[in-house]
Amino acid sequence: MTASVDTALRGPEAFSLSRRVIDEMETAGVWPTPLNFELWLHYLGDPEGALGREIRRILDAQEPFTEGTADMLAAEYLPRGRLTEEIRDAGRVLDRELHSISEAIAKAHRSQTAYGQTLDKASARMDGVEGGEQLQTIVTGLTAATRKIQRENESLEKRLEVSTREVARLREHLEQVRRDALTDALTNLANRKAFDEQLTAACEAADAEGEALTLAVLDIDHFKRFNDNWGHQTGDQVLRYVASVIGRVAGAPRMAARFGGEEFAMIFPRERVDQVKTALEAIRREIASRSLRRRSTNDDLGVVTISAGFAIRRPDESPTLLLERADTALYASKRAGRNRISSAEDLQQAA
Ligand code: C2E
């Protein structure tokens, strides 16, 4: 929670702010679920902030405010999204510390073993030496002390083994939390935050290696009409269907994400333009190949189609500009009648 909202919730205006949140949610027709309440609290607590502006945009555009929308906004704008970086760092620090502790113990163990062996040898050589009995007593005492330390060391190692297993379990859990924070809950694809990170990294890698990079944006045709006709729950099923088809084509090194309400994006590193076209065509054709049924009533929902646009990254082009060109290509597909794929490069040539 941002400091200003946090302070407001503990100040004199706390109850009036909370009431206003409920009123505004009711006016907007948004269910007062805990997550929606939290989002609205930030929105009204800081209407000019990034989250406030995005919620206003959604309301002004009369886009449906579904559970999926709330999840996406939370992942992108709520401060808990920042946790992912901290979680990753904490995992790394834990790993490093454990590694250096176990190294130190192993080293101590090795030198103690060597020391014990030296004492044993010395003790054997004392046999028959004049006045050796006294020396042998001293060495035997030292050997016993060394063995004791070795035993303690062994028990320390066992404890360390247990701790290492515990830390591994903890890391796995942190990794799961991190994955959840980067995943769109409705479609199971990467969310916008993960996509932004990945696109920046892919641009940097493409620059470093001088490799090709293509970005595609895909959008479900007439999705709003679909939602209005059949309700948001069915709309969510359509999103899941489209996402499942996209996900099947987006194996590594490709990456697919739910980018906005009914919009998806795909990154194609190191692929030729004909490979990208073939993949996008396969997605478009498969989605349009069957008509869906409404689960609750078995009504025929008809065929869903998508439009897509893609752009090949120019040298040193920023993620924002690349995205803008892919978007322009997407809108060319929409204008040309939907259910098709356009390339920014073809558009430029035609112009
Ligand atoms: P889901 O409902 O969780 O289904 C997951 C997968 O189980 C589907 O992946 C499909 O392989 C299988 N499946 C589920 N129900 C049926 C069925 O009645 N017949 C057959 N043959 N297979 C079934 P798929 O196809 O990739 O779909 C992914 C998601 O897309 C589904 O998740 C659902 O949310 C949505 N979806 C797909 N087709 C339809 C549909 O015709 N109507 C509705 N309402 N949603 C659909």
Side-chain angles (χ1 to χ4, degrees):
M1 197 159 282
T2 56
S4 62
V5 175
D6 201 25
T7 314
L9 283 177
R10 286 168 179 76
E13 74 219 81
F15 291 102
S16 67
L17 174 63
S18 302
R19 261 181 235 114
R20 204 150 64 80
V21 165
I22 296 281
D23 288 346
E24 296 263 348
M25 287 170 83
E26 192 170 2
T27 310
V30 171
W31 293 115
T33 62
L35 181 57
N36 285 346
F37 186 83
E38 191 181 354
L39 288 165
W40 242 255
L41 206 53
H42 281 272
Y43 162 37
L44 295 182
D46 182 15
E48 291 314 315
L51 172 62
R53 289 200 306 273
E54 181 59 13
I55 292 186
R56 255 207 322 281
R57 186 196 66 71
I58 292 171
L59 296 179
D60 289 347
Q62 297 188 328
E63 286 175 21
F65 200 91
T66 61
E67 261 175 54
T69 315
D71 284 336
M72 286 198 28
L73 289 174
E76 176 76 8
Y77 297 105
L78 288 185
R80 67 170 97 103
R82 264 181 248 132
L83 261 180
T84 52
E85 286 302 315
E86 288 160 24
I87 287 168
R88 204 164 11 198
D89 290 348
R92 279 201 206 109
V93 171
L94 269 178
D95 261 2
R96 222 176 25 236
E97 290 301 310
L98 262 180
H99 186 68
S100 68
I101 291 171
S102 62
E103 286 250 294
I105 289 185
K107 197 169 160 206
H109 187 66
R110 279 196 301 275
S111 51
Q112 272 164 16
T113 306
Y115 177 54
Q117 284 164 351
T118 309
L119 286 178
D120 279 346
K121 275 189 212 149
S123 172
R125 289 221 304 270
M126 303 250 162
D127 285 341
V129 175
E130 212 174 304
E133 219 172 277
Q134 220 177 350
L135 277 174
Q136 209 160 18
T137 313
I138 297 172
V139 173
T140 308
L142 284 173
T143 308
T146 308
R147 297 253 153 80
K148 184 164 178 273
I149 290 203
Q150 273 174 342
R151 277 197 302 278
E152 279 169 12
N153 221 18
E154 272 158 22
S155 102
L156 198 64
E157 274 175 46
K158 282 203 185 94
R159 274 186 6 229
L160 190 73
E161 251 173 52
V162 174
S163 305
T164 307
R165 277 201 298 275
E166 185 60 17
V167 168
R169 202 186 55 77
L170 205 63
R171 286 214 77 213
E172 216 169 278
H173 182 63
L174 290 179
E175 201 48 43
Q176 183 60 46
V177 173
R178 194 182 79 80
R179 271 199 298 272
D180 287 351
L182 294 175
T183 303
D184 173 53
L186 179 71
T187 61
N188 250 343
L189 289 182
N191 64 18
R192 173 73 187 259
K193 181 179 164 59
F195 172 80
D196 287 344
E197 281 182 21
Q198 191 85 11
L199 182 60
T200 305
C203 287
E204 283 167 8
D207 284 337
E209 294 154 23
E211 300 270 16
L213 179 68
T214 305
L215 174 70
V217 190
L218 306 89
D219 190 90
I220 302 176
D221 295 328
H222 299 303
F223 185 70
K224 188 171 168 346
R225 200 195 291 169
F226 202 92
N227 254 327
D228 291 346
N229 282 350
W230 301 104
H232 296 161
Q233 270 186 348
T234 304
D236 281 354
Q237 298 284 314
V238 171
L239 288 169
R240 280 160 57 84
Y241 170 59
V242 170
S244 76
V245 176
I246 292 176
R248 280 197 285 276
V249 178
R254 295 172 181 168
M255 190 246 191
R258 182 166 172 217
F259 187 65
E262 70 268 27
E263 206 172 18
F264 299 85
M266 286 179 81
I267 301 172
F268 295 86
R270 303 187 292 279
E271 284 193 66
R272 292 190 319 270
V273 66
D274 57 308
Q275 292 172 303
V276 173
K277 264 187 195 160
T278 306
L280 292 173
E281 265 303 323
I283 292 173
R284 185 195 67 74
R285 261 200 316 271
E286 188 180 339
I287 290 174
S289 70
R290 52 176 278 225
S291 70
L292 304 183
R293 296 220 155 255
R294 194 182 191 195
R295 291 261 155 94
S296 51
T297 56
N298 210 29
D299 282 324
D300 186 356
L301 301 173
V303 169
V304 173
T305 61
I306 58 136
S307 298
F310 69 91
I312 303 165
R313 183 167 179 261
R314 296 168 176 160
D316 293 323
E317 188 174 34
S318 72
T320 315
L321 283 181
L322 177 62
L323 205 50
E324 267 176 25
R325 290 195 304 114
D327 244 350
T328 308
L330 165 66
Y331 283 98
S333 289
K334 294 272 182 190
R335 274 198 310 274
R338 297 180 167 84
N339 190 18
R340 67 193 66 220
I341 291 155
S342 308
S343 120
E345 285 64 34
D346 289 349
L347 287 180
Q348 202 195 358
Q349 264 181 7

